[in-house]
C-alpha cells in the first residue's frame, strides 16, 4: 500500500477513514518483557494464525486525538487517562499493560513523526490516534498468550459535524451491550463486534444508533451506541448513568467536571430510567469522535420522546461543547494537567 502524502489531503473535506501514514509506534512483548520498541514504517502486522486475538478476542484499543492550536502548536487532551484506561482493559484480559508513562511518550512520538498530518487550525480536523494491543503467537488452547504486540497508528480525521451540530434520534435496543460483570467497562474489541447487529437495525429504521438498557432489568439507560449518555434536567442538573458495564469515557468525566466547576451545575452519576425521560430538558451522547452528539429524541416501545428539539441544540449542551473543544484546540484555558504539548 502506498503511503499517504500530506500534500494530497483536502483538509476541509476529511472523513473518518483509515490512512497509511509514514510512521507508527510498535513494541513486542516476549520472554516476559517489552522489547524492540520504536517507530516503524511497516503498516502490516505479521502474526501467527494461532494468535489469541483472532480466536479468543484477546485484544483491546484506545482512541485519542492531537489538536493544532491557533499558534500552530500541537497538543494532546488527557492522554494519561487513555494510558490508565488501556492498562485497566489489559488487566481485564490478562494482557501485560504497556507502562503508562511510556504509552504517553509513544503517543507523542507518533504525533511528532507525523506532524505534517495534523490538520490546520480552523479546519475542524484532528489527528486521530489508535493505540492497539493484541495477543499473538502460536496458541490454540483457551488461555492468555505468551506474546503481544502493542502499536499506535494515526490518521487525520475531519470534524464530526460538517455543518455544525445537529440533533439526531435514537432507539432503544432489545440487545444487551455487555453484562454487568462482563467486559463493558473495558475497551475491548468484542464489545464493538456485539454492537454491529443492533446498530445496523437502528440505522435501517432511520435512527442514528441504538440505546442500550441495563442487562438486568432493561429499565435504565446505559450507553448510546458506543458512547456515554448524559442529560441536562429541567432544574439544571447534569446526570449520567452509573453502571459496572459502562466504559469510563474520558470525555464524559471531563464534561462532568466542566459542568460543575465552570457552569455551576449540580452533577450526578446515577440511574437514568427510560420511563423518566421527561425530567430532561436536553440530552446527548459523548465520546472522543464527536465530543458531544446531541440527542433530539429517543424512541422506546414505539413512542418518540423529544428533548430540547429535533432540529436545534440546547443551550447547555452548546456551552459544554464549545468549552471542551475550546480547551482541546487551545482557545479556552484548560484545567491543570488536561493538556500536554507535543514538542516538534
Amino acid at each position: 500500500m502506498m503511503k499517504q502524502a500530506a500534500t494530497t489531503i483536502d483538509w476541509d473535506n476529511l472523513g473518518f477513514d483509515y490512512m497509511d501514514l509514514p510512521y507508527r509506534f510498535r513494541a513486542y512483548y516476549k520472554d516476559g518483557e517489552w522489547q524492540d520498541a520504536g517507530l516503524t514504517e511497516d503498516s502490516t502486522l505479521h502474526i501467527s494464525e494461532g494468535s489469541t486475538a483472532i480466536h479468543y478476542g484477546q485484544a483491546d484499543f484506545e482512541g485519542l486525538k492531537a489538536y493544532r492550536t491557533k499558534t500552530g502548536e500541537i497538543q494532546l487532551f488527557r492522554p494519561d487517562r487513555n494510558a490508565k484506561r488501556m492498562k485497566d482493559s489489559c488487566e481485564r484480559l490478562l494482557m501485560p499493560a504497556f507502562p503508562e508513562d511510556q504509552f504517553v511518550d509513544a503517543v507523542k512520538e507518533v504525533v511528532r513523526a507525523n506532524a505534517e498530518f495534523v490538520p490546520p487550525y480552523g479546519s475542524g480536523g484532528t489527528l486521530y490516534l489508535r493505540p492497539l494491543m493484541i495477543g499473538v503467537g502460536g496458541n490454540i488452547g483457551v488461555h492468555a498468550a505468551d506474546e503481544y504486540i502493542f502499536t499506535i497508528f494515526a490518521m487525520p480525521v475531519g470534524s464530526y459535524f460538517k455543518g455544525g451540530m445537529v440533533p439526531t434520534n435514537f432507539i432503544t435496543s432489545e440487545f444487551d451491550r455487555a453484562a454487568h460483570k462482563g467486559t463493558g467497562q473495558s475497551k475491548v474489541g468484542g464489545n464493538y463486534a456485539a454492537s454491529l447487529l443492533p446498530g445496523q437495525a437502528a440505522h435501517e429504521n432511520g435512527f442514528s444508533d441504538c440505546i442500550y438498557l441495563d442487562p438486568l432489568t432493561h429499565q435504565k439507560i446505559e450507553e448510546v451506541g458506543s458512547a456515554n449518555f448524559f442529560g441536562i434536567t429541567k432544574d439544571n442538573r447534569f446526570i449520567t448513568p452509573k453502571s459496572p458495564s459502562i466504559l469510563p469515557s474520558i470525555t464524559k468525566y471531563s464534561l462532568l467536571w466542566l459542568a460543575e466547576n465552570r457552569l455551576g451545575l449540580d452533577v450526578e452519576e446515577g440511574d437514568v430510567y427510560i420511563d423518566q425521560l421527561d425530567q430532561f430538558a436536553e440530552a446527548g451522547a459523548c465520546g472522543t469522535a464527536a465530543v458531544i452528539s446531541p440527542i433530539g429524541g429517543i424512541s422506546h416501545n414505539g413512542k418518540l420522546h423529544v428533548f430540547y428539539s429535533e432540529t436545534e441544540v440546547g443551550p447547555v449542551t452548546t456551552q459544554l461543547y464549545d468549552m471542551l473543544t475550546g480547551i482541546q484546540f487551545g482557545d479556552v484555558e484548560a484545567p491543570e494537567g488536561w493538556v500536554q504539548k507535543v514538542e516538534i
Side-chain angles (χ1 to χ4, degrees):
M1 182 182 292
M2 183 172 293
K3 299 294 183 187
Q4 182 75 45
T7 53
T8 66
I9 294 176
D10 181 355
W11 299 113
D12 293 321
N13 291 291
L14 286 168
F16 194 88
D17 302 297
Y18 174 80
M19 291 187 193
D20 188 357
L21 299 198
Y23 299 102
R24 68 273 307 133
F25 179 88
R26 194 153 303 153
Y28 298 87
Y29 186 88
K30 297 179 181 178
D31 302 321
E33 63 180 4
W34 288 103
Q35 51 191 271
D36 301 328
L39 294 177
T40 177
E41 295 183 49
D42 186 1
S43 57
T44 301
L45 296 176
H46 304 268
I47 65 174
S48 165
E49 61 190 354
S51 295
T52 58
I54 302 173
H55 299 271
Y56 307 124
Q58 201 181 20
D60 63 11
F61 68 98
E62 274 297 324
L64 67 160
K65 294 176 177 178
Y67 306 81
R68 181 85 65 179
T69 69
K70 188 180 294 185
T71 59
E73 294 182 300
I74 300 174
Q75 62 185 33
L76 299 168
F77 180 73
R78 309 190 78 174
D80 54 310
R81 304 309 302 164
N82 294 95
K84 171 65 167 59
R85 190 169 66 180
M86 191 164 195
K87 174 179 177 290
D88 293 342
S89 296
C90 286
E91 290 175 350
R92 179 63 179 83
L93 297 189
L94 285 181
M95 299 199 294
F98 196 71
E100 293 177 58
D101 57 338
Q102 294 179 43
F103 175 104
V104 175
D105 289 343
V107 167
K108 292 179 178 178
E109 200 171 348
V110 172
V111 174
R112 193 177 297 115
N114 296 291
E116 62 183 317
F117 292 92
V118 181
Y121 175 86
S123 67
T126 55
L127 185 72
Y128 181 82
L129 295 127
R130 171 55 58 86
L132 169 72
M133 191 183 296
I134 58 173
V136 298
N139 309 278
I140 199 62
V142 183
H143 54 73
D146 293 322
E147 299 180 9
Y148 298 85
I149 295 176
F150 173 66
T151 188
I152 305 172
F153 58 98
M155 70 222 69
V157 298
S159 171
Y160 193 88
F161 302 106
K162 294 299 183 185
M165 281 200 299
V166 177
T168 56
N169 294 337
F170 295 79
I171 185 170
T172 55
S173 175
E174 295 180 353
F175 287 93
D176 293 330
R177 174 184 165 272
H180 273 185
K181 294 185 183 294
T183 57
Q185 77 291 343
S186 304
K187 202 166 177 66
V188 302
N191 294 347
Y192 296 82
S195 74
L196 297 177
L197 178 63
Q200 177 177 285
H203 298 154
E204 289 173 349
N205 285 285
F207 295 92
S208 283
D209 211 328
C210 54
I211 301 277
Y212 293 105
L213 304 178
D214 73 287
L216 295 178
T217 69
H218 275 216
Q219 294 178 4
K220 296 177 284 189
I221 290 178
E222 291 219 331
E223 289 210 349
V224 183
S226 57
N228 281 191
F229 175 89
F230 73 88
I232 309 299
T233 66
K234 293 173 181 176
D235 58 353
N236 269 340
R237 290 179 295 135
F238 181 109
I239 299 179
T240 185
K242 185 175 184 178
S243 162
S245 58
I246 292 177
L247 183 74
S249 166
I250 295 160
T251 304
K252 179 184 76 174
Y253 284 111
S254 301
L255 292 173
L256 274 165
W257 191 94
L258 292 172
E260 182 176 23
N261 294 281
R262 295 276 174 94
L263 298 185
L265 305 183
D266 290 330
V267 300
E268 175 188 341
E269 283 186 273
D271 293 335
V272 177
Y273 287 92
I274 191 64
D275 62 356
Q276 296 179 9
L277 296 180
D278 56 358
Q279 69 178 304
F280 296 110
E282 304 175 34
C286 56
T288 299
V291 180
I292 292 175
S293 296
I295 298 177
I298 293 176
S299 178
H300 179 62
N301 291 338
K303 180 182 178 182
L304 180 67
H305 177 89
V306 176
F307 296 99
Y308 183 78
S309 167
E310 289 185 81
T311 57
E312 297 180 10
V313 184
V316 178
T317 300
T318 300
Q319 280 183 287
L320 288 169
Y321 178 84
D322 290 345
M323 194 177 301
L324 187 51
T325 55
I327 289 170
Q328 292 170 334
F329 282 102
D331 297 326
V332 173
E333 183 182 358
E336 185 176 355
W338 280 25
V339 166
Q340 294 194 32
K341 303 289 186 183
V342 178
E343 301 298 333
I344 304 301

